[in-house]
Amino acid sequence: MKLFSTKRLCRAGIIAALYVALTYSFGALAYNGFLQIRPAEALCVLPLFFPEAVPALYVGCMLSNIASPFWVYDVFVGSLATLVAALGTYAAGRLIRNFVAKFLVGGFFPVLLNALVIPIIIVFLCGDLSYGTKAITYWTYAASLAATEALWVYALGAPLAIFIKNMQTRGVSAFCDFPVHKQADNKKDHPIENTK
């Protein structure tokens, strides 16, 4: 299939729009440094299935972070973390065959990168010292963000990943890159046989 097919461009647009809508719907809670209520992060499992999810998540995150109180840094640095994480998830989807292992490894990238990068924005770029020193504040935010990101990616992302896998297995065309054809169950359904 072409890299930029109509189907892939449509899916990318839907993914980016969903990310923005899910983030904005939680308002300021989506940008709270300590406990981020951002269920849109469940979409970070999509690069396991769709290569177009990589740029879609990046664009969706950039548009979402415009509303962040740290927007100057979040739009560029935070979104870059999402892009790198999406590339890692995509690689896991291509290199690992076992579905459970693929999901666990692929989900690790957004959890790790958000936990390590977002506190850099909060503590070092924006100067938040809520917990005393830079080191304590950084690691407190890192632990909190790792926990909340893991919740969204693994707890909410698991049903999403299972659903997409099932849709692809069933050959639902919106979830597949290859053309889906109905299998002929008997001779009367076979187009060649009907022309005789």
Side-chain angles (χ1 to χ4, degrees), residues 1-115:
M1 180 170 226
K2 294 187 300 185
L3 184 60
F4 296 109
S5 68
T6 303
K7 185 184 285 189
R8 284 186 172 178
L9 287 172
C10 289
R11 268 199 308 246
I14 291 168
I15 292 166
L18 277 173
Y19 192 98
V20 173
L22 285 169
T23 302
Y24 281 169
S25 64
F26 284 86
L29 294 174
Y31 307 102
N32 183 353
F34 188 71
L35 282 176
Q36 282 194 345
I37 309 301
R38 201 182 269 219
E41 291 296 304
L43 300 174
C44 289
V45 302
L46 295 179
L48 292 172
F49 305 98
F50 311 115
E52 64 274 14
V54 174
L57 289 169
Y58 177 60
V59 170
C61 189
M62 283 185 86
L63 293 172
S64 296
N65 286 342
I66 291 171
S68 169
F70 315 112
W71 78 271
V72 172
Y73 303 111
D74 234 356
V75 166
F76 301 105
V77 181
S79 302
L80 191 59
T82 297
L83 176 62
V84 173
L87 287 168
T89 303
Y90 173 75
R94 296 300 162 261
L95 298 174
I96 302 171
R97 294 289 166 231
N98 179 277
F99 177 72
V100 174
K102 179 189 299 197
F103 175 73
L104 292 174
V105 173
F108 180 72
F109 292 101
V111 172
L112 178 69
L113 282 157
N114 276 285

Side-chain angles (χ1 to χ4, degrees), residues 1 3 24 53 80 117 129 139-140 164 168:
M1 180 170 226
L3 184 60
Y24 281 169
L80 191 59
V117 173
L129 294 177
W139 289 110
T140 301
I164 291 171
Q168 288 182 336

